[in-house]
Each structure stands twice: as C-alpha cells, then as structure tokens.
Amino acid sequence: MSPRSTDAFGIDFGGTGIKGAPVDLVRGEFAAERVRIKTPDPSTPQAIAEIFVELLASFPDATGPVGVTVPGVVRHGVVHSAANIDERWIGTDADTLFTKATGRDVHVVNDADAAGLAEVRYGAARDRRGLVIVTTLGTGIGSALVHDGVLIPNAELGHLEIDGHDAESRAANSAREREDLSWEHWAKRLQKYYRTLERLFSPDLFVVGGGVSKQSAEFLPLLDLDTEIVPAALRNNAGAVGAALYAAESSESAGSSGSAGRQG
Ligand code: BGC
C-alpha cells in the first residue's frame, strides 16, 4: 500500500526524550523542524499524554493522523511490556488514551517496528526483498522483522537469552556505555548476538539503527557474519518517520475496511 497522506505526524517516545514532527510521507523525512521535549520522570501514561497535547499544539497546521512509538510490545493499541519505561504502561490502551487526550486519530506502534518500517520504505533496506531484520542498539535492543516489505510486529529479539543473559543487558549500547567497553570488546558481544540471530532466522539483511549507528564505522567492520549488515539510513528520525507512516496506513485501512486492517 503506498502512502497517500503527506501530512501525518510522527512522535518518538523514548526513555530520555520525546520527539515529534510532521512527516512528508513521499520523501520519508520531517516536513518541519522537530520539537524535542525531555521525557518526564516518572514517565506515566498520563504525563506522556499531556506532553503529546503540548507537542501537537506547536504544529496547528498538521491535522493528519498521528503515529506514536512506544518502547514496548504493542498489540492492538495496548502496551504489554515496559522494559525501559514506567511499569504503569503495562495494560494501558495507549491508542485510546492518546486519541481521547489529543482529540486526534492516534496509532501506537513499537519503536523498533516503526524504525523497521521506515528503513524498509525509505532507508537502508529500501527495495530489498526477503527477510530484513532491523535492530536498534540503544538503552535496550529493539528489533523488527520485515519480510518482502511486510512487518511481523513485536519480535522482541533484544530479549533472546544468550549464555544465560537477556541479550540487551550485554549487547545494547547502554551496556557498552555502562561498562565502558572498547569497540573491540563490545563488537565481540555483537558478534555473538548477530550470529545467534543469523542461526535462528537466516535473514537476507541486517540493518543496525539507534544513536550509535552514527559510529557504525567503529564496530560494524569488526563483525564477521555471513549476512550483509549495514547502518540505518534514517538514523534517529526512523522512529518518528515510521510511526507517521504506520499511522497513515492504519488510518487508510480503517477508512476502507473498518478496523480490520489494524496491526499489532
Ligand atoms: C523492549 C522493546 C523495544 C526495545 C527498544 C526493549 O527493551 O522490550 O519493546 O523495542 O527495548 O526500545
């Protein structure tokens, strides 16, 4: 399905910052300068909803559907996990909460799934067929499985158990920072992580996103894999761009077939 609306709005809700901007869905880029607001602590659903209201008020001309990323499992608008955010999110119907609070047509999607959609449509995995695994290396490890352009939502491959550990606790960028690891040391952990993914999924391409992908030249060449592995192209904008794309497509399919077209 190709996007028709060109004025969807994307909001990327992360553990440290909330970023939002209107998105040009033809080009896959921000249509205006984004606004960033520090994530409140605690990041309760109500506190976040209030920030979204404020954020949307800064862009009165952007009237289209709104896509929101959440760093947790999202099924039919309901958040089911909260590894790195306030645990009060678990069980929250975020679609309904944000739609009521903002009076807008809001669609919520897992952050890595949003990044995956954006990379496949506009970025490093554009025009690639087969299985693409997009991973985001940040506070946690996010993952998106996209097969022939179709997202299989909520893969949660950051929580694979490797050597008795939750993979993200050792291989996320936050582990590199926390333990002050050299690129070489961190790359050894990444090597094990991507080898495990390779063994389990036989993907055609890995895309590596998250803020640290800016420094991919420091660690990607240290990996020895059978699968091609490339840095994300949209960098930190992938979440918001992907969320806007998701919202536009969810809104279109709801318009044409009730809510049957909604995913995860
Ligand atoms: C969460 C995922 C999320 C990832 C990146 C993980 O801890 O379980 O849902 O995509 O972090 O934020």
Side-chain angles (χ1 to χ4, degrees):
M1 188 183 350
S2 65
R4 264 180 256 141
S5 164
T6 51
D7 76 336
F9 195 91
I11 299 179
D12 190 0
F13 161 36
T16 55
I18 296 171
K19 289 172 284 178
V23 173
D24 176 337
L25 293 177
V26 175
R27 295 169 179 273
E29 56 193 42
F30 292 161
E33 198 172 333
R34 66 150 171 82
V35 166
R36 185 179 194 277
I37 298 173
K38 203 169 161 293
T39 304
D41 185 14
S43 53
T44 59
Q46 203 49 50
I48 299 298
E50 281 163 24
I51 287 185
F52 289 177
V53 172
E54 186 189 324
L55 189 59
L56 288 167
S58 330
F59 297 93
D61 297 338
T63 53
V66 179
V68 174
T69 69
V70 170
V73 169
V74 184
R75 292 184 62 219
H76 311 292
V78 179
V79 179
H80 287 273
S81 76
N84 298 307
I85 47 172
D86 193 279
E87 64 180 26
R88 275 165 278 190
W89 279 95
I90 297 176
T92 296
D93 183 338
D95 259 23
T96 304
L97 172 75
F98 296 147
T99 298
K100 280 202 180 130
T102 63
R104 300 283 292 272
D105 178 20
V106 184
H107 300 269
V108 180
V109 58
N110 169 265
D111 56 357
D113 284 344
L117 285 173
E119 289 296 333
V120 166
R121 183 65 62 88
Y122 309 108
R126 192 175 170 167
D127 299 328
R128 295 291 293 249
R129 298 191 66 76
L131 180 63
V132 177
I133 302 187
V134 179
T135 53
T136 59
L137 303 175
T139 309
I141 296 183
S143 61
L145 294 181
V146 188
H147 185 257
D148 285 351
V150 177
L151 173 73
I152 299 141
N154 295 310
E156 292 294 318
L157 302 179
H159 297 294
L160 278 177
E161 188 179 312
I162 299 180
D163 293 342
H165 297 277
D166 191 23
E168 72 174 23
S169 71
R170 298 188 45 90
N173 188 46
S174 59
R176 181 184 70 84
E177 290 173 339
R178 191 175 56 242
E179 300 180 45
D180 200 15
L181 302 179
S182 63
W183 293 112
E184 288 74 19
H185 191 156
W186 189 48
K188 286 205 174 98
R189 296 186 183 184
L190 293 177
Q191 170 72 21
K192 186 159 243 180
Y193 181 64
Y194 287 106
R195 268 283 186 223
T196 304
L197 291 185
E198 204 168 46
R199 199 157 35 81
L200 294 175
F201 295 96
S202 305
D204 295 284
L205 177 69
F206 286 123
V207 177
V208 180
V212 73
S213 63
K214 280 199 283 287
Q215 288 156 286
S216 63
E218 304 281 357
F219 60 94
L220 286 190
L222 306 178
L223 302 183
D224 176 21
L225 301 165
D226 296 326
T227 311
E228 187 184 353
I229 184 162
V230 296
L234 281 86
R235 302 271 158 84
N236 272 340
N237 296 349
V241 169
L245 175 65
Y246 177 80
E249 295 193 340
S250 301
S251 171
E252 260 180 28
S253 59
S256 58
S257 60
S259 60
R262 296 286 297 275
Q263 292 179 359

